[in-house]
């Protein structure tokens, strides 16, 4: 059947905002003349430049457009962007005609090839300065290389960058690159990566080597991916928790041109979501040049009093003396330059008697901070840590803002090899990364970080697909669905830069971007620090310039810049969570924005001036810690409850709701595009017009969300997933995290395959209001009829993120008002057949219970219909027979009635056993239910086949038989169902 396509016209849809930033090949904003145009068919739309910036904006109908940029002497590689109904932000990078380019996420970045240069990069375990200089000189002497001098003041060697993690050379007279690379690998070992520098700009050096992060489309199976990689003469190094079908691959040989050509060919063949080099890039630290506490330096901490930290402490003290400086239930991670664990003004015990420093790890050296001889290499990390958690009211040094919260102190990698950096973020948030690097810390940690503060970034680097996936992942799955709050400094430059497309982690829509303001000047006006970066993505600013903090030698330092501003906001958020732990990351962001103070309100700068309560310099204003904490205390998370229901009786007020839950009335399938489907939107109190998915063509999934609360919601995201192997239990977050395509045959060990069909944003939903969102279900993601020799009917899952409403009663779909499921039928052919079967799974990877009970309900099947279950694993089949009782006596050589003693059988069981092709079927007898206790001898997941056969003379229509999984106490854990359709 031909793929169905939408027949709506772009001009019929409301316009959406588009913002495009233009940059040179090194990521610096392009402030020269340029023209930006979107084209779709014969339609051309010119975007207008915003003020004196490198940003262009306009309004267009949602859809797909070619993005074209014209600039004198420069070209931009061709690319297409998809504009969603909520809008689109994109970046364009310019280069000279004939330059090669690489893809980075959705970006296309040209670069100047420097084939005469060679670079060495260290993802981790960078040699210490003395040993590094010795090795560098040895390499120059033995391999005949010439150092390339950057003359960077911060480095110990003029030909090094990123704190000694990147070394730069010019090829010698012989110029044999392959032989030189082989010599470097022999001398430097496996920790060194060898490549070509593609950006030599000070403080933003980047290196391209043979490693790429490639995310294949979800329809590709493991064996498909392995064959593609093998044909490309590369090898797979690992996969990624946060990116489904993504792999880190390394080419075994060849040139960079050959590697980029292979990646581009995969793109053109439609095989990739993204394919990007795992660049080695320089990460830069941002500039740091009641009764009050008795800390000696507190009197000079004007940054605290200006932002009303002392008033916030007094307010918290009024709630509880143990909350004055924060709650031990809150965990803050600072990913920076390491912690001096011996510093006298950190550590100790919190009010609950536990140690302040819950975790401490060096991701540069891949070792605990407690390793003998470990010491931070700069004071930057301690400056950040001190702002948040220096011990307060202890007559020593300075006062931290939230020192009664737990801290996770981390040293970041010196250079970005995207894999380890992304994994460090996931580790801090409590996820299992699967990183196999020698020395990688045990995982997952628990408790994990609620907030991660990062006072660094990579200048001029486009947003990679891997980091986009990582930051989105943390906002969705962190903190049990409420989202990990990610805070990034906007950065400091001698000439401040717009962060759009330049400091992309701060500019990401799932993080908070923090700029930096000064203390009031002689006229009493707080102004932007003259080195602080800016942009339309700034959330708020904070005053951190000249802030006293701690150093890495046991004393103090004068800290500052956005490096101090970011942890100031992180500490404020920690105090907010101390009074209201159920705040989502969106709640925290919005409260910080809404309570911020307008400063420099009269400024007339064309970029920084205030408009509509927002400034590109200050965001929504300067942080007010006391107002933010009081706002958090007054906020009632229960007033917003975005619900996807289990059944029509579910009003979102109770979890679990009881009743059926495997056919959510708010999640259904249509074979036609809803924009042209004659079937309209169903009433909220009625079951939806669900259809079987049509194999071989595109289908559509519709999701309905209602705000069952009493207040308008903040913005949220609705996500729809497809599970390849239908199961009964769907555990959050594990089964909601997109995984690899499980492939064919059935993988061993058995795992569920989960694919993300799509995500859409809800700007806000009024109390009592509902909205319906439509998601395409591509034909390539409709599972095949048979996998591993058996039919698997898929299941759809829906999630509203971040999670709101009542506290979940568990981690299953039925326990959470923000989760829903629908078991779906796929129509593979027009053949009704005599027998119908489907396979699903009972159990959960995270649940090691030894016995599961299954209840098969006849439902609306006729009494003469045959209903059965069988088990694919012979060990499980034999265990079930033993559990029923070995005393069963066959009546006719074909069927038997199991008659074990009542105390060995599940309640109200009505089971008959027959043998077909040498395997057992467990049939429902004359009653309405079949109940079996299933010993989980095959592992935590067990495939179960559910079958049924309609008797002759059955009237046309749809009928259903359900399999419900319970624990042995009778609590329902999950379900799937088999739908039988009798045609006319």
């Amino acid at each position: 059947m031909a793929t169905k396509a939408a027949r709506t016209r772009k001009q019929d849809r409301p316009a959406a905002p588009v913002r495009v930033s233009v940059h040179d090949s090194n990521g610096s904003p392009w402030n020269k003349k340029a023209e930006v145009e979107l084209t779709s068919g014969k339609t051309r739309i010119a975007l207008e430049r915003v003020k004196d910036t490198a940003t262009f904006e306009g309004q267009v109908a949602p859809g797909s457009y070619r993005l074209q940029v014209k600039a004198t002497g420069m070209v931009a590689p061709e690319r297409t962007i998809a504009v969603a109904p909520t809008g689109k932000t994109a970046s364009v990078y310019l280069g000279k005609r004939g330059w090669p380019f690489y893809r980075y996420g959705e970006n296309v970045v040209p670069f100047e090839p420097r084939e005469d240069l060679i670079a060495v990069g260290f993802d981790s375990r960078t040699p210490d300065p003395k040993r590094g200089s010795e090795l560098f000189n040895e390499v120059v002497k033995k391999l005949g290389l010439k150092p390339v001098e950057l003359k960077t003041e911060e480095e110990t060697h003029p030909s090094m960058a990123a704190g000694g993690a990147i070394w730069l050379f010019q090829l010698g007279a012989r110029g044999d690159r392959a032989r030189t690379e082989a010599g470097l690998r022999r001398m430097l070992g496996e920790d060194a990566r060898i490549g070509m520098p593609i950006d030599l700009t000070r403080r933003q050096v980047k290196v391209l080597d043979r490693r790429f992060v490639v995310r294949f489309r979800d329809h590709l199976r493991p064996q498909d991916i392995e064959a593609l990689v093998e044909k490309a003469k590369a090898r797979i190094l690992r996969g990624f928790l946060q990116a489904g079908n993504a792999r880190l691959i390394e080419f075994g040989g060849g040139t960079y041109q050959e590697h980029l050509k292979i990646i581009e060919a995969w793109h053109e063949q439609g095989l990739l979501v993204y394919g990007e080099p795992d660049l080695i890039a320089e990460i830069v630290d941002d500039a740091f040049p009641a009764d009050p506490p008795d800390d000696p330096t507190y009197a000079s901490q004007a940054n605290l009093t200006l932002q009303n930290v002392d008033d916030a402490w007094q307010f918290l003290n009024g709630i509880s003396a143990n909350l004055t400086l924060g709650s031990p239930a809150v965990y803050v991670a600072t990913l920076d330059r390491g912690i001096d664990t011996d510093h006298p003004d950190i550590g100790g015990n919190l009010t609950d008697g536990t140690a302040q420093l819950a975790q401490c790890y060096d991701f540069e050296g891949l070792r605990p901070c407690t390793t003998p001889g470990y010491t931070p290499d700069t004071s930057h990390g301690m400056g950040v840590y001190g702002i948040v958690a220096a011990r307060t009211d202890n007559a020593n040094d300075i006062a931290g803002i939230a020192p009664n919260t737990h801290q996770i102190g981390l040293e970041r990698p010196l250079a970005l090899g995207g894999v380890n950096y992304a994994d460090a973020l996931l580790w801090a948030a409590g996820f299992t990364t699967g990183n196999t690097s020698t020395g990688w810390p045990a995982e997952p940690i628990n408790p994990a970080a609620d907030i991660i503060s990062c006072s660094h970034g990579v200048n001029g680097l486009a947003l990679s697909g891997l980091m986009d996936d990582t930051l989105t992942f943390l906002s969705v799955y962190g903190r049990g669905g409420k989202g990990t709050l990610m805070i990034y400094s906007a950065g400091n430059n001698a000439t401040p830069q717009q962060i759009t497309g330049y400091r992309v982690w701060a500019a990401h829509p799932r993080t908070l971007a923090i700029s930096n303001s000064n203390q009031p000047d002689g006229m009493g006006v707080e102004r932007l620090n003259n080195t602080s970066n800016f942009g339309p993505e700034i959330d708020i600013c904070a005053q951190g310039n000249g802030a006293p903090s701690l150093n890495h030698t046991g004393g103090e330092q004068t800290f500052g810049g956005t490096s101090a501003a970011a942890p100031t906001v992180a500490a404020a958020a920690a105090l907010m969570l101390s009074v209201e732990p159920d705040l989502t990351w969106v709640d925290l962001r919005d409260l910080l924005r809404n309570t911020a103070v307008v400063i420099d309100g009269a400024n007339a700068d064309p970029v920084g001036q205030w408009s509509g309560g927002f400034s590109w310099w200050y965001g929504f204003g300067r942080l007010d810690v006391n107002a933010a904490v009081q706002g958090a205390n007054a906020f009632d998370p229960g007033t917003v409850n975005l619900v996807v229901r289990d059944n029509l009786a579910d009003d979102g007020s109770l979890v679990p709701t009881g009743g059926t839950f495997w056919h959510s009335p708010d999640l259904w399938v249509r074979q036609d595009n809803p924009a042209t489907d004659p079937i309209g939107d169903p009433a909220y109190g009625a079951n939806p017009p669900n259809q079987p998915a049509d194999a071989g063509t595109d289908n559509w999934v519709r999701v309905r969300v209602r705000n069952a609360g009493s207040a308008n919601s903040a913005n949220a995201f609705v996500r729809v997933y497809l599970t390849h192997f239908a199961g009964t239990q769907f555990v959050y977050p594990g089964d909601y995290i997109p995984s690899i395509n499980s492939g064919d045959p059935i993988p061993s060990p058995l795992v569920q395959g989960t694919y993300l069909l799509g995500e859409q944003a809800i700007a806000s939903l009024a109390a009592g209001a509902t909205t319906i969102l439509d998601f395409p279900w591509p034909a390539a993601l409709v599972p095949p009829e048979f996998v591993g020799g058996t039919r698997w009917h898929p299941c759809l899952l829906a999630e509203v993120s971040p999670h709101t409403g009542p506290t979940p009663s568990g981690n299953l779909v039925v326990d959470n008002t923000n989760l829903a499921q629908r078991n779906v039928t796929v129509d593979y052919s027009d053949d009704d057949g005599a027998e119908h079967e489907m396979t699903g799974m009972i159990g959960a990877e995270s649940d090691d219970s030894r016995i599961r009970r299954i209840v098969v309900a006849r439902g609306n099947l006729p009494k003469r219909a045959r209903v059965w279950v069988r088990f694919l694993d012979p060990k499980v089949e034999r265990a079930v027979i033993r559990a029923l009782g070995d005393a069963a006596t066959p009546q006719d050589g074909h069927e038997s009635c199991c008659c074990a003693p009542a105390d060995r059988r599940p309640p109200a069981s009505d089971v008959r056993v027959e043998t077909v092709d040498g395997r057992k079927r467990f049939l429902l007898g004359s009653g309405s239910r079949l109940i079996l206790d299933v010993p989980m001898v095959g592992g935590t997941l067990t495939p179960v086949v559910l079958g049924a056969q309609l008797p002759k003379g059955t009237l046309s229509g749809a009928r259903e038989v359900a399999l419900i999984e319970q624990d042995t106490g009778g609590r329902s854990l999950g379900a799937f169902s088999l739908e039988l359709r009798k045609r006319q």
Side-chain angles (χ1 to χ4, degrees):
M1 186 181 295
T3 299
K4 302 179 181 71
R7 294 189 289 273
T8 54
R9 297 177 298 171
K10 287 191 179 74
Q11 55 265 37
D12 294 335
R13 286 171 277 171
V18 176
R19 175 180 291 146
V20 175
S21 63
V22 182
H23 307 261
D24 65 19
S25 63
N26 295 330
S28 297
W30 183 261
N31 293 314
K32 302 176 185 177
K33 183 178 179 180
E35 296 177 6
V36 179
E37 191 175 77
L38 299 179
T39 63
S40 177
K42 296 181 179 180
T43 302
R44 295 178 179 272
I45 303 167
L47 303 185
E48 296 183 3
R49 193 167 207 143
V50 178
K51 307 171 185 177
D52 297 328
T53 71
T55 297
F56 296 75
E57 292 181 342
Q59 297 276 332
V60 303
S64 181
Y65 295 85
R66 286 182 60 204
L67 174 56
Q68 297 175 303
V69 177
K70 298 178 182 178
T72 304
M74 306 295 281
V75 295
E78 183 177 325
R79 68 178 283 202
T80 299
I81 64 170
V83 179
T86 52
K88 176 67 178 179
T89 297
S91 297
V92 173
Y93 298 84
L94 302 173
K96 293 184 177 179
R97 191 173 302 277
W99 278 6
F101 64 85
Y102 61 90
R103 294 182 180 270
Y104 213 60
E106 66 173 21
N107 303 287
V108 185
V109 185
F111 64 92
E112 180 181 6
R114 296 298 305 268
E115 297 179 34
D116 59 323
L117 303 183
I118 197 164
V120 174
F122 296 89
D123 274 343
S124 58
R125 298 193 182 92
T126 299
D128 64 60
K130 180 180 179 181
R131 179 55 180 157
S133 293
E134 292 173 351
L135 277 173
F136 187 97
N137 294 332
E138 188 178 343
V139 164
V140 170
K141 181 179 179 180
K142 288 190 175 181
L143 299 181
L145 301 178
K146 180 181 178 181
V148 175
E149 293 194 3
L150 292 176
K151 299 180 180 178
T152 303
E153 297 175 0
E154 297 90 347
E155 301 293 339
T156 58
H157 194 287
S159 296
M160 293 183 181
I166 298 175
W167 302 355
L168 299 166
F169 306 94
Q170 186 168 19
L171 286 170
R174 295 188 296 273
D176 189 333
R177 187 176 196 92
R179 185 166 60 184
T180 301
E181 288 187 4
L184 285 167
R185 289 189 177 89
R186 285 195 304 271
M187 293 184 66
L188 300 177
E190 63 180 14
D191 286 338
R193 293 171 57 185
I194 317 300
M196 178 180 69
I198 58 174
D199 185 354
L200 293 176
T201 307
R202 178 178 175 271
R203 299 184 78 227
Q204 60 181 64
V205 174
K206 304 178 186 73
V207 178
L208 172 72
D209 74 344
R210 301 184 300 178
R211 290 187 183 179
F212 286 75
V213 176
V214 184
R215 181 176 170 188
F216 294 91
R217 294 202 177 275
D218 286 341
H219 68 274
L220 292 174
R221 302 168 301 170
Q223 57 265 44
D224 302 327
I225 295 171
E226 291 164 7
L228 285 166
V229 174
E230 183 178 0
K231 185 177 180 181
K233 298 181 180 179
R235 64 187 180 118
I236 296 173
L237 300 181
R238 58 166 294 185
F240 297 92
L241 169 72
Q242 69 272 37
N245 252 15
R247 304 290 192 278
L248 176 65
I249 69 170
E250 183 177 62
F251 288 97
T255 65
Y256 76 89
Q257 296 99 324
E258 293 169 335
H259 304 158
L260 292 174
K261 184 178 180 180
I262 291 170
I263 299 297
E264 191 62 21
W266 287 347
H267 268 287
E268 292 174 355
Q269 294 165 27
L271 301 176
L272 303 183
V273 178
Y274 55 78
E276 58 196 26
D278 181 31
L279 294 178
I280 307 162
E282 185 172 14
I283 302 177
V284 295
D285 297 322
D286 295 325
F288 64 99
D291 293 330
D294 58 10
D295 306 270
T297 310
Y298 175 76
S300 63
Q301 290 185 265
N303 58 307
L304 302 190
T305 53
L306 177 72
Q307 294 168 121
N308 296 325
V309 173
D310 48 346
D311 290 337
W313 289 336
Q314 291 295 332
F315 177 78
L316 289 164
N317 183 265
I319 298 173
S320 169
N322 287 338
L323 282 183
T324 304
L325 302 175
S327 167
V330 178
Y331 285 69
V332 182
T334 50
L335 180 61
D336 210 88
R337 296 298 291 273
I339 306 299
D340 173 15
T341 57
D342 294 325
H343 197 290
D345 204 24
I346 73 168
N349 290 337
L350 308 183
T351 53
D352 67 349
T354 60
Q356 181 195 65
L357 191 58
Q359 301 278 348
C360 189
Y361 193 79
D362 170 19
F363 282 102
E364 165 57 32
L366 292 180
R367 55 184 175 171
C369 299
T370 53
T371 302
Y374 168 78
T375 183
D377 57 354
T378 76
S379 282
H380 194 273
M382 284 300 294
V384 168
Y385 190 100
I387 294 285
V388 178
R391 295 171 65 184
T392 299
D393 209 19
N394 66 334
N396 197 0
D397 288 321
I398 68 163
I401 297 172
N404 197 45
T405 59
H406 278 106
Q407 303 301 306
I408 300 173
L410 307 173
E411 180 163 348
R412 64 164 175 80
L414 288 175
L416 173 70
V419 173
N420 277 3
Y421 181 86
D423 281 352
L425 294 174
L426 293 174
W427 183 90
F431 293 97
T432 300
T433 68
N435 193 307
T436 58
S437 300
T438 302
W440 192 263
E443 52 187 25
I445 61 170
N446 185 28
D450 300 297
I451 302 160
I452 302 178
S453 181
C454 302
S455 292
H456 56 260
V458 179
N459 292 339
L461 182 71
L463 179 64
S464 72
L466 182 64
M467 279 302 294
D468 184 28
D469 282 340
T470 301
L471 296 173
T472 300
F473 182 97
L474 291 168
S475 73
V476 174
Y477 304 110
R479 295 178 58 226
K482 295 190 179 299
T484 304
L485 184 67
M486 297 292 306
I487 297 174
Y488 274 93
S489 55
N492 298 86
N493 286 72
T495 301
Q497 303 291 330
Q498 180 181 329
I499 64 175
T500 313
Y502 181 77
R503 286 294 287 261
V504 294
W505 303 339
H508 195 277
R510 304 295 180 99
T511 68
L512 269 63
I514 312 300
S515 62
N516 178 45
S517 59
N518 289 327
Q519 284 283 326
D521 59 17
M523 301 179 65
V525 178
E526 299 174 54
R527 305 183 193 275
L528 190 73
N529 182 268
N530 61 7
T531 67
S532 178
N533 291 337
F534 60 91
E537 301 86 359
I538 297 296
D539 287 281
I540 62 172
C541 69
Q543 200 287 306
N545 208 51
S549 192
L550 307 177
N551 65 20
H552 72 309
T553 56
E556 300 180 21
Q557 64 169 313
T558 300
F559 203 50
T562 59
S563 276
T568 301
V569 175
L575 296 182
M576 295 164 72
L577 284 177
S578 296
V579 294
E580 183 45 78
D582 285 332
L583 293 170
T584 70
W585 79 270
V586 172
D587 295 333
L588 288 163
R589 180 200 65 190
D590 289 355
L591 283 167
L592 286 164
R593 288 175 173 180
N594 295 338
T595 57
V597 178
V598 172
I599 60 172
D600 194 15
N603 97 77
D605 185 276
V607 175
Q609 64 185 336
W610 289 86
S611 176
F614 184 82
S615 162
W616 281 29
W617 284 357
Y618 307 112
F620 290 87
R622 192 258 298 141
L623 172 69
D624 184 330
V625 178
N626 185 42
V629 170
Q630 292 204 36
N633 185 63
F635 186 84
D636 181 0
T639 60
V640 174
N641 185 10
L642 298 180
V643 175
V644 279
R645 294 171 295 173
D646 293 332
N647 49 58
L648 291 177
D650 181 3
D651 63 3
S653 62
L654 296 173
V655 286
T657 57
T660 62
F661 52 86
W662 52 90
H663 282 323
S664 168
D666 293 330
L667 177 62
W668 68 98
V669 177
R670 297 298 297 170
Q671 295 175 357
D672 292 304
N673 186 336
T676 58
D677 191 343
I679 301 297
D681 297 342
Y684 192 72
N687 279 309
N690 181 68
Q691 293 178 308
D694 198 354
T697 186
D698 294 345
N699 294 270
W700 292 79
V701 179
R702 310 200 73 193
V703 182
R704 176 169 46 195
V705 180
R706 179 173 184 262
N707 183 358
S710 58
N712 294 350
S713 77
N715 71 294
F717 303 89
V718 178
R719 295 164 69 88
V720 174
Y721 310 84
L722 170 73
T723 60
H724 189 52
F725 296 157
T728 55
Q729 288 191 60
F730 292 106
V731 178
Y732 191 87
D735 293 332
Y736 275 71
I737 296 174
S739 63
I740 62 171
N741 187 320
S742 295
D744 184 16
I746 300 172
S748 180
L750 186 63
V751 294
Q752 290 176 340
T754 302
Y755 317 135
L756 177 68
L757 291 183
E759 177 187 84
Q760 295 185 36
I762 300 175
S764 179
L765 200 58
T770 63
T771 186
I772 296 177
L773 303 173
D774 299 322
F775 296 81
W777 181 357
L781 288 182
V782 177
E785 183 174 6
F786 290 93
V787 178
T790 187
R791 288 185 175 93
W792 295 82
H793 284 208
C795 187
L796 292 171
L797 304 175
E799 175 181 14
V800 182
S801 173
H803 293 187
T804 59
T807 301
S809 56
N811 59 359
L812 303 179
V813 172
V814 71
D815 299 320
N816 193 319
T817 62
N818 306 121
L819 306 177
Q821 74 179 76
R822 174 174 282 275
N823 295 105
V824 294
T825 298
V826 179
D827 191 356
Y828 295 104
S829 71
D830 292 329
D831 180 15
D832 284 316
E835 291 188 348
H836 296 264
E837 287 189 331
M838 69 162 291
T839 306
M841 290 192 294
I842 62 171
E845 291 182 76
S846 58
D847 189 340
D848 60 358
S849 299
R850 298 178 62 182
I851 294 177
R852 285 296 177 201
R853 177 166 295 162
I854 59 174
V855 179
V856 178
R858 185 183 294 274
N860 62 352
L861 267 64
K863 285 187 177 182
R864 292 184 296 114
R866 285 166 50 83
V867 179
W868 64 88
V869 295
R870 60 186 179 89
F871 301 94
L872 296 181
D873 189 336
K875 293 184 297 184
V876 176
E877 177 185 290
R878 292 192 295 269
V880 172
I881 289 289
R882 288 195 298 269
L884 285 171
D886 296 328
T889 303
Q891 295 177 336
D892 56 9
H894 182 67
E895 295 186 352
S896 64
C897 179
C898 292
C899 48
D903 60 357
R904 293 186 57 193
R905 295 167 60 187
S909 60
D910 186 6
V911 185
R912 297 168 62 86
V913 180
E914 70 176 17
T915 303
V916 178
D917 296 328
R919 298 299 301 275
K920 302 297 185 184
R921 285 183 177 182
F922 300 84
L923 289 92
L924 172 59
S926 58
S928 62
R929 298 190 307 168
L930 180 154
I931 304 176
L932 291 174
D933 280 348
V934 182
M936 302 294 283
V937 296
T940 57
L941 293 169
T942 292
V944 181
V945 179
L946 174 62
Q949 181 181 23
L950 294 174
K952 291 182 179 181
T954 302
L955 298 177
S956 62
R959 291 166 176 80
E960 180 184 60
V961 57
L963 185 151
I964 304 165
E965 180 184 355
Q966 300 178 341
D967 60 23
T968 53
R971 176 177 180 255
S972 293
L973 303 173
F976 62 83
S977 61
L978 172 63
E979 186 175 293
L980 293 83
R981 290 176 175 264
K982 181 71 172 179
R983 291 179 171 85
Q984 294 284 355

